[in-house]
Amino acid sequence: MITPDRLDAAVLDAAMGRALEIATRGPEGGPNPRVGCVILSPDGHTLAEGWHRGAGTAHAEVDALSHLAPGEARGATAVVTLEPCNHTGRTGPCAQALIAAGVAEVYFAVPDPGAVSSHGAQTLIDAGIPAQLGPRREQAEKLLADWLRDARRGRPTVTVKWATSLDGRAAAADGTSQWITGPDARADVHLERSRHDAIAVGTGTVLADDPALTARGEENGAPLAQPIPVVFGHREVPADAQLHSHPRELITLSGDDLAADLDVLWKRGIRSVFVEGGPSLASSFIRAGFADRVLVYVAPTLIGGPKLALTDLGVDTIDDQHRLVFTDVQHLGSDLRLTAEPVAPETPSTHPTSGAH
Ligand SMILES: NC(=O)c1ccc[n+]([C@@H]2O[C@H](COP(=O)([O-])OP(=O)(O)OC[C@H]3O[C@@H](n4cnc5c(N)ncnc54)[C@H](OP(=O)(O)O)[C@@H]3O)[C@@H](O)[C@H]2O)c1
């Protein structure tokens, strides 16, 4: 922790604690972090507070400054939970706003790892304003854990989900797969859909199942949020497909280069993708090392035949297997819900877990 030159460490610590507290008022998830800001007078009194209310709205520093009269922040200390941003998005760079307001110094709890938004501290320093790490980094890292993970990775987090019979089949020989699992598991899938920014399938699934890809049901009395539907493939989505009635606009991607496609989704503000199959698309995501989480609903039923839940994963020899660890196991009605994650963090390479035993 940095000892402030001008302010008492306890005052700075309390201000950062308050900034972290008000940061939690912002919305969770989505492309923007939850950030809080407290502006302190030279003698350590709080002049203003601000927090970020979500994409397209003022950032925490700008929100705090908006409560002050022109010149009132001159000589003040800005205490922010995240390094002030440096890029002109929809709301303008915070580093410039702090410079324009005439603050004397800036403390932030976590550096911004974003490729576009980072280096705000350097901009402030170049303008003659000391900007440095302040207290409570661990607490701020915890608050921003998901956002920081996404920003450091620079691509959406991917969950690959499938429903399977006990013998690992995703469909019967004729391609029918509705339904393998029971109503409790299916209701859980709707909840999971609503917790992701986008939900993706391949054209094979669109043509076989005509899925609506909506999140149906309620949570805490409110209708579930609708993820953006994404279809991977070259074949056309039929004109009469249910997908065309989805409340969100459909995104279609070729799937030829999943890294490039994930980048397209990232740039559209999508931070989490729920890949719902089918087996070919799910396998491609796993093979490419993009499956950050695997969610499998297992029904106590036996189907047999050729329609396996996954296809080729690039595992020619057992040393190449994609090792996972179970992170959660639940009974849902008569089915099981299994969550697993790669042993080593997945990276965008072809054989991320190669060599893991
Ligand atoms: N049990 C389950 O959880 C579940 C879930 C979904 C589907 N299903 C069943 O699965 C069957 C359909 O299987 P499927 O494997 O054909 O479906 P799929 O994975 O949804 O579709 C495969 C198609 O997606 C396109 N695609 C685009 N990028 C791709 C990539 N990187 N890797 C692989 N494919 C890519 C290709 O089509 P283009 O030729 O158009 O490029 C490919 O032929 C149906 O019987 C369905 O009922 C089961």
Side-chain angles (χ1 to χ4, degrees):
M1 177 182 137
I2 305 292
T3 309
D5 295 335
R6 306 180 334 140
L7 289 174
D8 183 74
V11 171
L12 177 61
D13 187 65
M16 191 64 88
R18 175 65 184 159
L20 283 162
E21 192 184 323
I22 58 180
T24 62
R25 295 177 184 171
E28 258 183 282
N32 285 20
R34 296 195 288 172
V35 184
C37 173
V38 172
I39 311 268
L40 296 175
S41 68
D43 62 357
H45 286 100
T46 298
L47 292 174
E49 297 180 345
W51 69 94
H52 180 52
R53 293 166 178 77
T57 68
H59 289 187
E61 301 88 322
V62 174
D63 182 43
L65 291 170
S66 74
H67 301 301
L68 298 175
E72 213 182 334
R74 202 156 293 283
T77 299
V79 181
V80 203
T81 55
L82 178 68
E83 179 182 354
C85 77
N86 200 30
H87 79 302
T88 308
R90 277 178 278 187
T91 52
C94 294
Q96 292 301 340
L98 292 166
I99 294 167
V103 303
E105 58 180 0
V106 176
Y107 289 95
F108 53 92
V110 186
D112 182 348
V116 184
S117 54
S118 63
H119 309 308
Q122 194 54 51
T123 301
L124 288 156
I125 291 164
D126 291 347
I129 299 171
Q132 54 201 305
L133 272 177
R136 299 192 183 231
R137 177 166 185 171
E138 208 177 310
Q139 193 183 338
E141 290 252 0
K142 215 166 158 190
L143 174 74
L144 292 173
D146 290 351
W147 183 85
L148 286 169
R149 179 203 57 215
D150 291 346
R152 287 175 184 139
R153 196 153 50 196
R155 65 162 175 82
T157 296
V158 175
T159 298
V160 177
K161 166 258 159 181
W162 64 87
T164 174
S165 60
L166 198 50
D167 56 341
R169 266 54 179 192
D174 67 353
T176 50
S177 66
Q178 295 171 338
W179 302 104
I180 293 173
T181 50
D184 292 358
R186 300 208 305 272
D188 191 69
V189 169
H190 285 286
L191 266 183
E192 282 289 338
R193 286 179 174 180
S194 73
R195 290 176 183 152
H196 289 78
D197 294 336
I199 171 170
V201 291
T203 49
T205 298
V206 173
L207 296 170
D209 300 345
D210 187 21
L213 297 189
T214 47
R216 299 185 285 282
E218 289 189 344
E219 190 174 29
N220 303 325
L224 294 178
Q226 294 300 330
I228 295 170
V230 182
V231 172
F232 285 88
H234 293 273
R235 283 169 288 171
E236 290 283 320
V237 174
D240 59 350
Q242 285 202 75
L243 267 174
H244 293 301
S245 311
H246 197 285
R248 310 289 300 270
E249 197 184 336
L250 175 68
I251 297 176
T252 53
L253 297 165
S254 74
D256 293 342
D257 179 346
L258 292 182
D261 290 338
L262 283 175
D263 196 46
V264 168
L265 298 179
W266 175 263
K267 287 183 173 136
R268 292 181 70 149
I270 289 169
R271 293 294 174 264
S272 56
V273 181
F274 194 54
V275 177
E276 280 213 47
S280 309
L281 187 69
S283 302
S284 290
F285 269 94
I286 294 170
R287 204 166 53 236
F290 290 131
D292 304 301
R293 176 173 169 251
V294 167
L295 182 60
V296 185
Y297 296 86
V298 184
T301 182
L302 300 169
I303 297 177
K307 303 281 188 182
L308 293 168
L310 293 175
T311 60
D312 179 20
L313 296 182
V315 178
D316 295 326
T317 180
I318 203 67
D319 280 350
D320 289 347
Q321 64 189 299
H322 297 260
R323 276 276 180 208
L324 310 176
V325 281
F326 286 121
T327 53
D328 188 54
V329 177
Q330 290 178 36
H331 278 276
L332 289 176
S334 55
D335 302 322
L336 280 181
R337 175 194 140 119
L338 308 174
T339 311
E341 291 175 16
V343 171
E346 294 272 278
T347 54
S349 64
T350 12
H351 293 283
T353 54
S354 172
H357 298 278

